[in-house]
């Protein structure tokens, strides 16, 4: 992610912490680990952090891109909803 950001200072990111065998999709182990790493290494001065604990999803929205497009968060959320039945 950092190398992509260095090449594109308007880049945004997101991930879903997939659930393991016999694990619920809410606040998975992967989500907890990944979100802690992201919170440590990606400043809120550069990124708006938006979490969906119920779906174990995390978005890092670039503040520059968000300023240029105030509907950016909704567009990304719509992408996830359209891409994955999981987000209905």
């Amino acid at each position: 992610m950092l190398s992509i950001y260095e090449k594109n200072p308007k880049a945004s990111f997101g991930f879903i912490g997939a659930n393991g065998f016999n694990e619920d999709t809410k606040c998975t182990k992967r989500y907890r680990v990944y979100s802690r790493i992201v919170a440590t290494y990606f400043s809120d001065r550069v990124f708006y952090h938006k979490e969906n604990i119920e779906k174990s999803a995390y978005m890092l929205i670039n503040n520059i891109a968000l300023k240029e497009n105030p509907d950016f968060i909704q567009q990304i959320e719509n992408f996830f909803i359209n891409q994955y039945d999981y987000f209905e």
Side-chain angles (χ1 to χ4, degrees), residues 3-6 10-11 13 25 29 32 36 42 47 50 58 63 68 76 88:
S3 64
I4 292 170
Y5 176 72
E6 287 174 3
K10 292 184 183 179
F13 306 95
T25 57
K29 291 177 188 177
R32 291 191 304 270
R36 184 171 291 170
F42 292 86
F47 294 99
K50 180 155 174 134
Y58 200 111
N63 286 329
E68 291 177 0
I76 294 170
E88 293 181 346

Side-chain angles (χ1 to χ4, degrees), residues 8-73:
N8 180 358
K10 292 184 183 179
S12 294
F13 306 95
F15 64 84
I16 299 168
N19 57 316
F21 186 69
N22 287 332
E23 182 182 19
D24 189 38
T25 57
K26 179 181 178 181
C27 197
T28 65
K29 291 177 188 177
R30 286 182 178 97
Y31 169 79
R32 291 191 304 270
V33 170
Y34 298 162
S35 62
R36 184 171 291 170
I37 291 168
V38 166
T40 301
Y41 291 104
F42 292 86
S43 169
D44 59 356
R45 286 179 281 134
V46 177
F47 294 99
Y48 172 71
H49 296 244
K50 180 155 174 134
E51 299 179 69
N52 182 332
I53 295 171
E54 293 294 318
K55 303 292 185 181
S56 295
Y58 200 111
M59 292 190 301
L60 283 168
I61 310 298
N62 187 293
N63 286 329
I64 295 170
L66 186 56
K67 187 175 181 179
E68 291 177 0
N69 180 2
D71 295 327
F72 196 40
I73 293 172

